[in-house]
Structure formats: structure tokens, C-alpha cells
Amino acid sequence: MTRPSKDPATLIPLKHSTYRVLLALPDGELLHGYAIMQAVSEMTDGRETILPGTLYAALARMVDAGLVEAEEAPDDDKSGGPRRRYYRRTTFGRAVARAESERLRALLDIAVAQKVISGGKK
Amino acid sequence: MSLRSTATRIFTLATRAFPQGPRHDYAAEIIEAFERELASQLQERRRWRALVFVVAASLDAVKSGLGERRRSRRSARAAADAYMVEIGGRNERRGKGMRMGMSWLDVKLGFRMLIRYPGLTLAAGLALAIAIGIGAGWYDLTGDLFRPRLPLPGGDTIVEVEMRNAVSSEDERRLLHDFLTWRQEVRSIEDLGAYRTLERNLILGDARPEPVTAAETTASAFRLASVPPVLGRPLLDSDELPGAAPVVVLGYSVWQRRLGGRTDAIGQTVQLGRITATVVGVMPEGFAFPVNHRMWMPLQTPASGYPPLEGVPIRVFGRLAPGVTQAQAYAEVTALTERLAAASPRTHEHLRPRVLAYGGESPGDRTWLELIIKNLPVLLVLLVACANVGTLIYARTATRDAEIGMRYALGATRGRIVGQLFVEALVLASVAAVVGLAAANWALKWGMAAYFSGQSGGLPFWMNPGLKFTTVLYATGLTITGAAILGGLPALKVTGARAQAQLRNAGTGGSTLKFGAVWTTAMIAQVALTVICLPPAMGISHEALRDRQIRDRFPAEEYLTVRMDLDREASATPSGEESATAFAARREATYREFERRIAQESNVRAVTFADRLPGMGPAVRRAEVEVSAGAPPVSIANLWTSAVGPRFFEAFEIPLVSGRDFHDGDRTADGRTVLVNEAFARRYMDGASPVGRRVRYASSDPAAPEPWFEIVGVVRDIGMTPTDLGEAPYVFRAASAATTYPLVMGVRVNGDPATLAPRLRAIAVNLDPGLRLDEVRSLDEIVWTVDVPMVVGAGAIVAVVSLGLFLSAAGIFSLMSVSVARRTREIGLRAALGASQRRLLAGIFSRALVLIGSGIAAGNLMLLLIVTLNDEIELADVWDALLMTSAVMLTVGLLACLEPARRALRIHPTDALKQA
């Protein structure tokens, strides 16, 4: 298993799937896999989806890297079906998400400066 | 089957692309997520979108799964390396990987292998050390032989010009006439100079005289060497002129030792034998140009020049002009010599010049011959050693197939495994190379010191005893080549496409690799080679031992030996020296007086001289002897000869058996008498007395035969020249001190001969300052010096052949071990089915017996072929050796089978069945 890295910069740039999963997990909340799929779709108004294979491959890597942590289902889980795991973004995962966001914002600033896009908030 | 369940099955199948671990952890969740999304799509009645989702999700699962497999393989490799570190005894982080699939970890493992297989390390390491040691030593020696690196500015452009007689194949050194012509006319060689070597007694006041190796040289030697003196000046052209005041330039060691390094040495006069010369300069430490000289005097040449082939013998040197090659210089000197030959055919008809790299034998720019002589023997020795050691390494590799299989399973590539085995072999070869180089270094230093100790002046200045840096680089190349053959080739074979499949199944019982035809053939060749080498090794060691024992019986420790010679007087002859007749008379008189004074010393029992004393190296000539009156003479290939002075036989206590001793009349130029020893009479006279018969040396020119000598007496064998047929046949001639070269005195003393040495020097300097004594040593010491190469050579041959025998045994042992390991299951099952031990062993070891038998048969056949082709060896002579060698080889081979046999018989049927 890969040892969790303490320096977020070592994981930058992130894979697109990893970044989306990190953003789909709000601070402190526990989500199961399907909920993460839905969260990704919702936060992008359905423009982006993540398929189960990509999602779980990303989750496996992220658990190894310490970006998310997995927990067994809480006792009050009423979803039915097989016992599932829930995932929570770690503090380190949050730091990595911020580092990646800053990298992307820097690129966005360049695009704005070059008038590739307008600078106003969409 | 509903669409939903079909879609789930397809997706579940796609998730099998994930490796087992993640699939086990996440499959349920991933399928649940898929089903929930599919259900959501179907609930909204978007069937086409649902179908697209199923296809996309399935493809995505395959793609992600394969990605996870790659990641998993990388992790497994890291884990395998961590495991190897752990079993390597240290839990260190893996170092940065080397190129071509090698890592420092492999180096560590290589060292662990050396310790884990001590027998193989010893045998293989020793063989490689010998091969690399011999290779490096040979390369170093031939480097000095062909093209020595002169430690002088532009040393590679300095050449020597020689003249060789094409008929006699001997060097012609009386070149003063040619030298003066070359100096005037040759343009391709600059600073052309000449020198001759002299020994001169350096006498300072009452201090003990010391013979010093001096060069009588042209001043151009100093221009050519471009080394300034530390004091005063070098020799100048004006010093060469006839009538110039005698001057001398001293070497640093002579200046330090004899003049205490005084800076006011310049201008002092010193006695050089019979000449008084003024010191004009001191050269820096280490300067010994032209060869090993410690003192330099001008070579004076008369303005009138010399007739062809007259004057003192000299050697000629010079520096190639800028841009001129050795070949161009050779062409110019050859053209000039042809012109001289046309003008003076009597002297120059058969003379051929040679322009050689200074101090070496290289006839020009690098030639193929030079390269082949330098490298081919080395590579052959290495190849033989590698073939020997290769069988052992291959056998070890074959027993490690389970480990190699595990590495495959953990994801190691073929390159990685080949790299590991190569590095392991490299570690072994490197350790062997260090040992081999250290041994070669010691042997070269010792050998050079021993070789040059007998020559005045010692080592030439360009020779540094010990290995050169380039030799170490060369040995590094040999080591890597050896490792590539030893580690790389077996590794490529065991990781070949066919072997990989077997390796992946390793662990299901026994070893899977075979001892293939190549290695089996190599082992048969090795056994055959050992069989061939055993008889000569036994013969040589027996001979060396016998010779030492025989010589030990002679009381050589009672004799002091000394080489004596006399300086020539300067005179007005064409050569500038006294005439030969005058010098011979003076030499005779001086010796007689010297002998008389020595005999007066209280502890001296006898004094005599000869050109060589008993036990010194032999002088062997071809000859013919009159066996009976009227019969044609019998040819003798090797007749030992010695020229002996008066009372020689008394001094060495050799009694006269028949006839008479020499008298003074035999020592004249017309004396045609000889004495022979009993061995001569036994071997050639068939019991008859040789007295009155005649003997003569063979002549190279049938038109001018050598004169006959009458045998006037027979003396008892001395016992100092043993041969296979007893004492060597000897012919003694009567010698006079006037004309005997070298003149070696033998003084028999009561007590330690070394105590007489200082007295001899004192007597000599009182008698004549030009009387030089050299190599003052006990005869015992000289006999040992002569015997050392024989003893060391015999020891080396015995060591190498013993190693060959050991390697053969180790090879057979390895073959059998592999064979038993491969057939564990079969042996166990056969034992379970009631096979007897005898049948089991016969089944397993028939191959070893065939191998040993084939090797012995091949070796014996080769031996018989050698005997058939060589007329001098009779089959009856080698028959015993042949039987004995075969018995030794068979015994060693069978002994090597013992341990594998024990292992085979201890295999329990249940163990074999467990592996099945």
C-alpha cells in the first residue's frame, strides 16, 4: 500500500476523476459510492458523470493515498441491499483539492488575461 | 432473462478486469452502484440511454480494471523488492535502480551468494582469479615487450635503429661506421645518438670501490631525453671530440651514496677504473636513459671515422622527426643501408636494418600480429576458465528456478532477472579479479626483480614493477566479459521463452531446468583436458623434486663465486682501445696474480675458474662424436659444455676416472683436447673407453666444419645437471683466463663464503683499479636462483591441474545434484514401487558415468594422438601415466557423486508424493 503523502504538491496535477470525487465529498459528510456518482452529476448540472468502474478505481487509489477514508455503513443506513462502505474526505484530501483548485485557477486567470474567456462570475 | 439481469451479468463480467484484491474489496459496491444507476435510467423509461449506459459502464470497468492491474503489478514489484531486502538481512530502502534492470540490491545479493555457496565461490573464484591474473599479467608484459611507455617528453616518438644479419639472425652491433653515416644523412630521425654499456669501478679515496653501470654515449642522449641535470651540465658535443678531457655525469643515487649529495661535487675528480674523470653534472632522481645507467661518459669517435663493422659494439637511438612515422623512417634507413651494401657488399650484403619503438619490439604502427599476441592467449585462458566455471554457475542457477519463478510471479521482467544473475556473476568475477590482480602484481614485481637481478644495472628505467593503470582497465573489461559469459548466458537460457513457462510452475515438484547439451559437452571437454594435463603435471613436478634433491647433495654452500673482468686501456688503435693480444696477456697475468693472492687467505681451500660453474645454467651445443675408429660420427643433439681453468676438478672434488687431466699445453689457442664425464661415456660409447676418440661441435656451415677435439680423459659425474637419463653428458675444454668469457671464479672456503667477499674486493682494488668484481655470491644462492623458476613453474602447473581436477569434480557434483533435484518425484515413486537402491542409483548415475567415461576416453585419445605424432615419446612410456590418470579421474568423479547419491537415497516416497 502506498504511504499517504504529507505534501499535497506531490499529487498535483490530480487525475480528473480524483478531483471530481474530492469535490463531490463535502467536509465531514459520509457518502457511499452511488451517492458520489449522483453528487458529481448534480454539482455539474448533469454535464459530467462518473461511471462505476472509474469511480471505484479512483476510490481505491484515494484510500491508498489517504485522500479519503472508508467507513462501514452506519447502523441507521436504511438503503437496503448489500452492506456498503461510506467515504469521507480527509483533511489531507481537502488540502490536495485546494492545491489542485489553485493550480486550475492560475490557469483560468491566464485564460481571462488572454481574454480567452470573460473575467466575470458566471 | 430480463434486460436488467443481462446487463448486470455483462457488467459483472467486465469487472473481472479488476485485479483480485480490489475486486474482492469493491465488487459488491461497484455492481450495486451500477444496478442503482441502471434502475434509475429504466425508471425514467429511457431505455436507449440505459443501453448506452450499460455499454459505457462495462467498457469503463474493463479500462479501469486494467489500469488497476498495472498499478497492482507495480505495487507487487515494490513489495517483492522490499521482501528481498528483508531476506538480505537489512530493511533498507531500495536504492535508485541501475540501468538495464540492475540494482544495488543485486550487488548485495551477489555477496550473499558468495557466502551461501562457499565451495562454488572457492572453486569458481580461484579459476577466475587465475584466468584474470594470467590475462592481466600477460597484457602488462607484452605491453612492455612491444611498445613500452617511456616516461620522457614525447617518449612515443623515440626509436631504436638496429641491424640484423639475415643469414645468422643475429643482431650486428659493430655499427660505428653506419651510425656516423646515418647521423650525417638520415632526415626522418633527429638527435640520432649511440651508446654502449660499461661497468666501471667508481673509486673515491679509500672508500670501497663500487662497480657502476655506465653509458658511454653521445651528447644527443641528453637532448633527446629533454631532462635537465639537477647540478652542473649534461654531456656536450665537444666532450665527444678525441683528446677532450675525460668528464662524467653522475646519476642521482651515485651522487647521494658516494658523494653524500654534496653540491660542490661539480669539478671534483673521481677514479673510474683506470681513468680519472671530472664530474660535470648530476642527473635527477629516476633518470637512467638509455636503459638503467647510473653514470654517463662521452662516446668519443675519431674524426677519421671507422671502417665498416669495426670498433666497439653500440646501440643507436633517435627521435622521429615531426610528422614522420616509424615506417617512413624504416624506409629511409633501408634505402641508405642498401646503398652501403652496394658500396661494401662483403660487410653489408646480409645486413637488414630495423626501426623499433624504443625499448620494445614493435616494428611499426600497430599491427594485427601485435594485437593477436597481446590479446588472444588472454582471451583463450579466460574462455577456458569461463567454460569451467560456467558449468558450476549454470548448475547453481538451475537449482534456483523456484526463486526465479517466484520473481516472475511477482512481476519481474526477463531483463530484471538476467540483470540480477549478471550482477551476481559480476560480484564473483570482481572479487576474483581483485585476488588475480593482486597475485599478478606480486608475481610481476617478484619476477622482474628476479629476472633483472642477474643483469647489471637492474630494471630498465621505463619499467615499473607491478601492474599499470591500463592493465587494471583491461582486467576490468575481462571481468565484465567473464561475468557476461558466466551470468548472462545461463540467465538468458533459464529465462528463455520455454523455460519461463516451466518456471511459473516451479514449486510443483523438483527442479525444472535441464543440464543441456552445451554444458554437458563443456564438462566432457573439461574432464578430457584434465586427463591430458595430468601426466605432464605429474612428470614436471616429479622432475623438479628429483632435480632439487640431487643438487642438494652437492656442498654448494662451501663455494663463493664471482664474475671477474678487466677494463681495457685507452690506446691509439682504430677502436681507441688496446689491442686484443695485449689485453688478453694483461688479463691472464692479472687473473694469475689475483688467484695467487686469494689462495694465500687463511680460510681459502681452493681457487679455480670456468665460463660457468657446476649448477649454473647450462651451455648446450649440437655435436658429433667418433664412437669407433673408421665409423661415421654419431650426432648428439644436446651436449653440455664448459670451459674450465686449472685445478677445476680438484676444487670441485671431481676425480679423474681414466686418462689424464689438462696441462698448460691444452690451454693454448692450438689446444684440441677435451675431457668428458662418465655420463658421456655411458651414453655414447656403449661401454668402451672414450679416451682417444674425437668429438666436435656441429657447424652451421657444412663447408667449414668445426675442428675435432681428442678426448684425453674421463671424470666422474658431478651430479649438478640431472636429466631423465641420469647426469647430463658433459664435455670440458681447457680454458685460459686470457680468453674466457664470462670468467667466473669459484673459491672453496672453510666456513661462511660471504665473509670472504669484502677481502676479495680489497685485494682486487689493490691489484688493479680496473679489475671489476661482479655478482659476488655463494654457489648455493646461484643454484637456488637457477632452480626457482623450475620449482615455481612446477608448483604453478600442479596448482592449475589440481584446480582443473577440482573443477571437474565440482562440475560432476553439480550435474548430479541438479539431476537428483529434477527427479525427486520419480525417485520417490520408484522407491515406493519397490525399486532396489542399486537400480535407483544405476538409473540416476548412468549419465555421470557416461560423462566421466567420455571425458576420460576423449582425453586418452588425445594423449595417444600426441604420442603418435611425437617421435620422441614411446607409447610404453605413457602407458602407466594413462592408466593412472584414468584411475585418478574416475575416483575423483565417483567421489563427487557420493553426496548427490546420499541425497537421492534419502528421498522418502511420501515427500515425493507431497510434491506431486
Side-chain angles (χ1 to χ4, degrees):
Chain A
M1 185 177 285
T2 314
R3 189 193 291 260
S5 172
K6 292 297 168 198
D7 184 4
T10 57
L11 296 179
I12 303 302
L14 284 181
K15 287 182 83 148
H16 188 54
S17 54
T18 308
Y19 186 51
R20 282 184 298 173
V21 173
L22 279 176
L23 293 182
L25 285 167
D27 281 338
E29 278 194 38
L30 284 165
L31 293 181
H32 56 73
Y34 181 60
I36 296 170
M37 281 174 64
Q38 287 180 312
V40 168
S41 181
E42 281 168 16
M43 74 185 181
T44 59
D45 292 334
R47 287 191 303 277
E48 290 193 23
T49 55
I50 188 163
L51 293 167
T54 301
L55 172 70
Y56 278 96
L59 281 173
R61 280 197 306 273
M62 290 165 80
V63 169
D64 280 358
L67 299 176
V68 295
E69 53 194 12
E71 281 184 22
E72 293 300 319
D75 293 340
D76 59 347
D77 182 17
K78 302 283 189 295
S79 61
R83 193 171 175 81
R84 58 169 78 113
R85 262 175 299 193
Y86 284 74
Y87 300 88
R88 189 204 325 261
R89 188 170 68 189
T90 62
T91 315
F92 178 62
R94 193 175 199 289
V96 170
R98 179 160 54 200
E100 177 67 1
S101 304
E102 281 168 359
R103 182 182 75 84
L104 293 172
R105 183 155 63 192
L107 287 173
L108 197 62
D109 288 346
I110 293 167
V112 171
Q114 293 182 353
K115 296 189 170 50
V116 175
I117 56 168
S118 61
K121 195 176 176 182
K122 195 178 168 186
Chain B
M1 193 182 287
S2 68
L3 173 68
R4 214 160 147 173
S5 63
T6 306
T8 305
R9 275 172 183 269
I10 291 170
F11 183 76
T12 305
L13 200 64
T15 58
R16 293 189 72 85
F18 278 82
Q20 202 175 14
R23 198 164 75 232
H24 175 264
D25 288 346
Y26 296 104
E29 288 182 56
I30 199 171
I31 291 167
E32 192 216 345
F34 170 79
E35 283 180 328
R36 288 180 72 159
E37 179 61 26
L38 182 65
S40 163
Q41 304 270 351
L42 290 173
Q43 209 169 4
E44 293 172 25
R45 297 189 175 275
R46 295 190 289 198
R47 295 176 68 92
W48 283 110
R49 279 193 67 178
L51 194 63
V52 169
F53 168 72
V54 170
V55 173
S58 298
L59 288 175
D60 176 66
V62 171
K63 178 172 158 276
S64 302
L66 290 176
E68 280 303 287
R69 273 186 187 272
R70 279 196 296 276
R71 195 171 75 92
S72 168
R73 211 157 38 227
R74 281 199 296 274
S75 303
R77 258 181 224 163
D81 285 345
Y83 167 72
M84 296 309 267
V85 169
E86 200 177 313
I87 63 167
R90 284 187 199 172
N91 210 355
E92 290 175 17
R93 272 180 70 86
R94 186 182 166 206
K96 197 175 177 183
M98 295 196 298
R99 291 171 71 188
M100 294 180 71
M102 295 172 234
S103 77
W104 290 114
L105 180 65
D106 295 335
V107 178
K108 284 185 212 163
L109 286 171
F111 277 106
R112 274 181 58 80
M113 285 294 167
L114 297 187
I115 298 162
R116 199 169 150 194
Y117 297 91
L120 186 134
T121 303
L122 197 69
L126 212 56
L128 283 176
I130 288 174
I132 294 171
I134 290 175
W138 176 258
Y139 182 83
D140 206 87
L141 266 182
T142 49
D144 281 340
L145 182 71
F146 281 108
R147 199 181 289 269
R149 191 176 289 273
L150 299 185
L152 294 174
D156 56 342
T157 59
I158 300 178
V159 291
E160 180 165 5
V161 187
E162 284 190 353
M163 198 75 102
R164 178 164 280 196
N165 188 313
V167 175
S168 66
S169 293
E170 285 177 359
D171 288 335
E172 178 55 74
R173 301 252 179 248
R174 292 169 299 164
L175 296 174
L176 274 166
H177 171 82
D178 303 72
F179 164 63
L180 293 173
T181 315
W182 290 338
R183 187 151 76 168
Q184 277 185 345
E185 300 193 21
V186 170
R187 293 287 163 267
S188 55
I189 305 175
E190 297 175 339
D191 288 330
L192 210 59
Y195 76 93
R196 68 164 174 154
T197 300
L198 299 169
E199 287 280 329
R200 283 286 177 265
N201 276 339
L202 178 64
I203 304 165
L204 282 162
D206 295 332
R208 186 171 67 82
E210 179 189 343
V212 178
T213 309
E216 220 176 56
T217 177
T218 54
S220 57
F222 293 89
R223 286 197 295 277
L224 184 119
S226 306
V227 176
V230 286
L231 273 185
R233 64 166 176 87
L235 294 179
L236 302 174
D237 290 338
S238 56
D239 296 326
E240 295 175 26
L241 298 173
V247 292
V248 64
V249 173
L250 298 180
Y252 190 86
S253 57
V254 174
W255 174 56
Q256 286 290 322
R257 205 172 52 249
R258 302 309 304 263
L259 292 164
R262 292 204 322 260
T263 49
D264 62 351
I266 304 302
Q268 280 206 3
T269 54
V270 291
Q271 189 77 25
L272 302 173
R274 301 167 74 89
I275 302 165
T276 304
T278 308
V279 178
V280 292
V282 176
M283 294 307 288
E285 195 172 6
F287 182 84
F289 190 82
V291 182
N292 50 16
H293 299 89
R294 303 281 178 266
M295 206 160 68
W296 297 266
M297 296 174 294
L299 178 69
Q300 294 184 341
T301 46
S304 56
Y306 288 89
L309 304 195
E310 289 276 345
V312 294
I314 55 162
R315 299 183 83 118
V316 180
F317 55 80
R319 184 190 289 282
L320 293 174
V324 172
T325 65
Q326 223 170 294
Q328 287 168 328
Y330 168 73
E332 189 186 4
V333 176
T334 302
L336 209 53
T337 307
E338 282 167 1
R339 218 182 68 202
L340 285 169
S344 177
R346 187 181 60 79
T347 54
H348 279 66
E349 186 186 354
H350 301 301
L351 295 186
R352 306 282 180 272
R354 299 199 303 164
V355 176
L356 304 173
Y358 190 83
E361 285 292 323
S362 179
D365 305 315
R366 282 196 197 288
T367 59
W368 280 108
L369 184 70
E370 191 176 323
L371 276 176
I372 287 169
I373 291 176
K374 273 182 86 167
N375 297 300
L376 197 64
V378 177
L379 295 177
L380 280 178
V381 170
L382 187 72
L383 205 66
V384 169
C386 283
N388 278 326
V389 180
T391 52
L392 306 185
I393 301 267
Y394 182 76
R396 185 180 74 180
T397 310
T399 58
R400 290 169 63 194
D401 57 354
E403 175 203 325
I404 294 169
M406 189 183 84
R407 289 182 63 85
Y408 260 129
L410 289 171
T413 60
R414 190 181 180 200
R416 183 78 184 78
I417 289 170
V418 171
Q420 181 199 335
L421 295 177
F422 167 72
V423 172
E424 280 176 15
L426 188 64
V427 168
L428 172 69
S430 301
V431 172
V434 170
V435 174
L437 282 176
N441 192 38
W442 175 83
L444 279 175
K445 281 183 177 173
W446 180 82
M448 279 191 176
Y451 180 76
F452 287 102
S453 69
Q455 299 186 16
S456 59
L459 276 174
F461 75 95
W462 59 84
M463 280 191 184
N464 269 325
L467 297 175
K468 291 183 270 294
F469 178 67
T470 47
T471 308
V472 176
L473 281 183
Y474 184 75
T476 308
L478 288 184
T479 307
I480 293 168
T481 311
I485 297 172
L486 291 177
L489 291 185
L492 285 173
K493 187 162 167 59
V494 299
T495 56
R498 251 175 51 194
Q500 284 187 30
Q502 292 177 320
L503 284 169
R504 290 197 183 97
N505 296 325
T508 57
S511 176
T512 51
L513 289 169
K514 289 179 185 173
F515 220 88
V518 173
W519 297 110
T520 308
T521 311
M523 282 196 48
I524 291 174
Q526 183 180 310
V527 171
L529 204 66
T530 313
V531 167
I532 293 171
C533 292
L534 265 173
M538 287 194 293
I540 289 169
S541 53
H542 174 255
E543 206 172 277
L545 208 64
R546 179 202 63 196
D547 288 4
R548 269 306 290 169
Q549 281 174 345
I550 291 173
R551 276 201 254 265
D552 265 353
R553 289 186 210 133
F554 187 82
E557 66 283 356
E558 294 177 9
Y559 293 84
L560 184 70
T561 72
V562 52
R563 262 180 71 171
M564 188 208 99
D565 212 341
L566 200 61
D567 290 355
R568 286 171 184 264
E569 295 266 21
S571 77
T573 59
S575 70
E577 291 182 329
E578 67 182 318
S579 71
T581 321
F583 179 67
R586 197 161 62 79
R587 200 167 186 257
E588 174 79 40
T590 309
Y591 171 77
R592 279 177 188 262
E593 181 57 20
F594 189 40
E595 186 195 68
R596 192 186 67 76
R597 293 192 192 183
I598 295 171
Q600 285 175 350
E601 293 294 309
S602 59
N603 57 341
V604 171
R605 289 168 64 185
V607 187
T608 188
F609 76 88
D611 60 350
R612 64 197 65 245
L613 299 179
M616 291 182 168
V620 182
R621 293 185 70 171
R622 278 197 311 121
E624 47 190 19
V625 60
E626 241 181 26
V627 177
S628 56
V634 172
S635 187
I636 302 172
N638 295 314
L639 185 63
W640 274 250
T641 72
S642 182
V644 301
R647 292 173 295 286
F648 176 85
F649 300 109
E650 285 168 43
F652 286 97
E653 290 189 353
I654 308 167
L656 192 69
V657 178
S658 63
R660 66 166 177 86
D661 196 352
F662 292 124
H663 52 63
D664 284 348
D666 296 321
R667 299 184 197 285
T668 61
D670 302 326
R672 292 282 181 268
T673 53
V674 291
L675 267 72
V676 296
N677 66 351
E678 288 174 305
F680 180 96
R682 270 197 309 274
R683 205 173 297 180
Y684 303 114
M685 305 311 294
D686 202 20
S689 170
V691 177
R693 300 286 170 224
R694 295 190 304 170
V695 63
R696 71 177 174 189
Y697 299 127
S699 168
S700 54
D701 182 3
E706 294 277 339
W708 284 103
F709 288 81
E710 185 191 347
I711 299 169
V712 294
V714 180
V715 293
R716 184 146 297 158
D717 295 339
I718 304 172
M720 289 292 270
T721 35
T723 69
D724 289 343
L725 304 170
E727 179 78 351
Y730 246 105
V731 160
F732 298 98
R733 282 181 294 111
S736 122
T739 53
T740 300
Y741 289 93
L743 195 156
V744 186
M745 296 177 69
V747 184
R748 191 170 191 188
V749 296
N750 291 318
D752 184 6
T755 55
L756 187 67
R759 270 302 294 157
L760 285 189
R761 291 192 186 283
I763 295 169
V765 76
N766 279 335
L767 177 62
D768 186 335
L771 177 60
R772 282 176 281 116
L773 303 184
D774 214 359
E775 296 173 32
V776 186
R777 289 190 284 177
S778 78
L779 184 59
D780 201 27
E781 205 181 321
I782 289 178
V783 171
W784 174 238
T785 313
V786 171
D787 282 353
V788 158
M790 178 183 76
V791 172
V792 171
I797 289 170
V798 168
V800 168
V801 172
S802 304
L803 184 71
L805 205 60
F806 180 58
L807 281 171
S808 298
I812 293 164
F813 174 84
S814 307
L815 173 84
M816 286 302 95
S817 299
V818 171
S819 180
V820 169
R822 281 189 67 232
R823 297 168 67 181
T824 302
R825 262 183 297 173
E826 179 200 327
I827 295 165
L829 288 172
R830 285 179 65 185
L833 292 171
S836 70
Q837 290 195 344
R838 192 178 59 79
R839 283 185 70 84
L840 277 179
L841 288 179
I844 303 162
F845 295 107
S846 56
R847 191 172 170 202
L849 287 173
V850 167
L851 188 146
I852 300 167
S854 307
I856 292 174
N860 283 338
L861 274 174
M862 290 290 286
L863 270 177
L864 288 174
L865 195 68
I866 293 167
V867 172
T868 314
L869 293 175
N870 194 329
D871 296 338
E872 289 182 16
I873 312 173
E874 294 292 328
L875 184 60
D877 296 341
V878 294
W879 194 246
D880 289 349
L882 227 118
L883 285 176
M884 198 164 140
T885 307
S886 304
V888 168
M889 198 65 240
L890 194 65
T891 310
V892 168
L894 290 176
L895 281 175
C897 290
L898 277 182
E899 173 60 20
R902 198 180 61 83
R903 271 189 228 160
L905 293 177
R906 285 175 64 186
I907 293 171
H908 200 273
T910 48
D911 294 336
L913 289 168
K914 271 183 211 163
Q915 289 187 0

